Amino acid sequence: MNITIVAGARPNFMKIAPIIHEIKKQQTEGYSINYRLVHTGQHYDKNLSDTFFEELNIPHPDANLNVQSGTQAEQTGAIMTTFEKDLEQHPTDLVIVVGDVTSTMACTIVAKKAHIKVAHVEAGIRSGDMTMPEEVNRIVTDSITDYFFTTSTIANTNLLQLGNAESSIFFVGNVMIDTLLNNIGRIKKPDFWNDLNLRNQDYFVLTLHRPSNVDGEHNLKTLIDTIMENCGNKPVVFPVHPRTQKLLEKLDINYDNLHFVAPQGYLSFIYLVKNAKAILTDSGGITEEATVLNIPCITFRDTTERPETCSLGTNILVGTDISKINQAFDKLHQNQWQQTTIPEL
């Protein structure tokens, strides 16, 4: 059996690592499985792509489509055009896509039009927020996928309600957390740890990249000002996504304890998360990592495609509502954070 695995952006790399490791294990046990790894190049900064292959012990891709950035339509079209050519040159029996980035949707469409079956890892999750590009990607991908590999029973229910056959849905758990647990003993201090005088459980990690939060100068500045007012004098470490960096350069944001750093490799970023007082984010995947590591997480979104991180985990949704943000920080400072458990699988 020949399999093509697609990775396009930072969240994908953590999800493909355990899949590749399992395929290699099956190969040593005599199974006839061959795989080919295609990196679309959707993320092209070294700290957002190449580093992950090295740190997670994943072979470098068999092909890099070098799509890079552009508008949603430009990027989608470029991925589809280049992936179509790759599939023509390298026939396969199955395409595996992971997550919900543009590459996931684009490569699924190309594979299905070429009459190739598709397996979607992390299928069935929904935020209900159609303003998110990722939500569109999830809906389109799952509407034509053949095999659904899910991370939660909620995702199973979503897929069944859409009329998918139960026999095509496999509740396998969270592959990104497999990567976390497999590498937790290898995490390492970032180079700037001592320079910033960071101490365990005495700093915050901030990540922002959603268009709704970072595409408007006023919105971004108001959000950061509110966050900093609630963090007191504690350091706030902000690995800056390229999308956000462009906007920050225009804003007059000056706090002695707000530290802009480059995007981090996987091992150093998880070290930051594991030892933080709390995570401040608009990401989805980080809320899962925070839950497993039992680190309080404040999410600047009104909805989440990972509701179990709120009902069972360490995550609280506050959107950009200043009163909700203040209330969440009050709970944190008063050591009244919600009691949590780790969701199934």
Side-chain angles (χ1 to χ4, degrees):
M1 183 180 191
N2 294 316
I3 299 173
T4 294
I5 302 173
V6 175
R10 177 182 178 129
N12 291 170
F13 307 137
M14 292 88 86
K15 295 167 189 174
I16 65 169
I19 297 172
I20 288 176
H21 295 156
E22 184 61 27
I23 289 174
K24 288 184 173 181
K25 178 183 175 184
Q26 296 294 317
Q27 288 173 333
T28 63
E29 294 176 2
Y31 288 91
S32 180
I33 303 176
N34 300 302
Y35 77 92
R36 193 167 175 278
L37 179 58
V38 174
H39 180 9
T40 67
Q42 182 179 332
H43 275 178
Y44 53 95
D45 182 284
K46 182 175 175 62
N47 285 327
L48 293 179
S49 56
D50 289 359
T51 300
F52 282 75
F53 292 102
E54 299 159 7
E55 292 187 339
L56 300 180
N57 193 27
I58 310 169
H60 279 263
D62 297 284
N64 189 324
L65 306 184
N66 291 308
V67 169
Q68 302 193 10
S69 62
T71 66
Q72 291 283 329
E74 289 170 340
Q75 197 171 65
T76 301
I79 293 169
M80 292 180 70
T81 302
T82 52
F83 187 57
E84 181 179 55
K85 292 176 181 177
D86 187 84
L87 282 184
E88 289 173 351
Q89 295 168 4
H90 304 278
T92 188
D93 300 306
L94 177 72
V95 170
I96 295 179
V97 296
V98 297
D100 51 23
V101 300
T102 301
S103 298
T104 304
M105 176 191 69
C107 292
T108 296
I109 294 172
V110 170
K112 290 300 294 181
K113 288 197 172 187
H115 310 295
I116 300 169
K117 289 189 178 297
V118 174
H120 182 200
V121 176
E122 200 181 74
I125 63 175
R126 297 288 187 273
S127 70
D129 182 359
M130 289 298 292
T131 67
M132 294 175 57
E134 295 89 346
E135 185 75 351
V136 177
N137 295 340
R138 297 175 195 125
I139 291 171
V140 173
T141 300
D142 285 341
S143 70
I144 54 177
T145 288
D146 297 283
Y147 308 109
F148 306 90
F149 293 91
T150 63
T151 59
S152 71
T153 54
I154 296 172
N156 290 10
T157 300
N158 291 340
L159 291 168
L160 290 170
Q161 288 176 342
L162 290 170
N164 294 291
E166 190 170 357
S167 60
S168 66
I169 301 170
F170 305 89
F171 177 34
V172 295
N174 197 314
V175 288
M176 188 176 69
I177 300 305
D178 290 340
T179 292
L180 174 67
L181 299 178
N182 288 338
N183 289 279
I184 198 67
R186 301 175 57 236
I187 60 176
K188 57 186 181 183
K189 286 183 181 179
D191 294 338
F192 53 76
W193 180 271
N194 292 329
D195 293 338
L196 300 184
N197 295 313
L198 300 181
R199 295 177 297 175
N200 289 357
Q201 280 72 57
D202 199 44
Y203 63 91
F204 297 93
V205 174
L206 172 64
T207 76
L208 295 171
H209 74 280
R210 301 244 170 239
S212 58
N213 285 331
V214 306
D215 277 1
E217 294 182 19
H218 175 74
N219 290 346
L220 179 58
K221 189 174 189 312
T222 299
L223 181 56
I224 291 179
D225 286 342
T226 303
I227 291 168
M228 297 310 298
E229 289 168 7
N230 278 282
C231 289
N233 295 320
K234 294 188 184 300
V236 178
V237 181
F238 189 176
V240 182
H241 190 281
R243 166 190 281 277
T244 312
Q245 179 66 45
K246 295 176 182 177
L247 208 67
L248 287 171
E249 291 170 356
K250 303 177 184 177
L251 302 179
D252 183 24
I253 297 177
N254 294 296
Y255 293 94
D256 291 340
N257 58 323
L258 176 58
H259 305 291
F260 299 116
V261 299
Q264 297 298 294
Y266 181 75
L267 299 179
S268 57
F269 183 74
I270 294 300
Y271 190 98
L272 282 173
V273 172
K274 182 178 185 294
N275 293 288
K277 180 177 179 65
I279 308 303
L280 318 172
T281 189
D282 60 7
S283 171
I286 294 172
T287 67
E288 295 175 320
E289 292 163 337
T291 284
V292 171
L293 295 172
N294 197 29
I295 305 297
C297 185
I298 298 174
T299 298
F300 306 107
R301 290 171 55 187
D302 296 313
T303 62
T304 178
E305 63 283 353
R306 296 164 168 87
E308 62 276 4
T309 64
C310 299
S311 59
L312 299 173
T314 62
N315 186 27
I316 290 180
L317 298 181
V318 296
T320 55
D321 186 317
I322 292 177
S323 64
K324 288 183 179 180
I325 295 172
N326 292 340
Q327 289 170 13
F329 273 101
D330 286 344
K331 285 184 180 180
L332 184 66
H333 295 317
Q334 294 170 18
N335 295 317
Q336 294 178 348
W337 208 254
Q338 58 204 45
Q339 295 297 308
T340 63
T341 57
I342 296 177
E344 185 181 2
L345 297 187

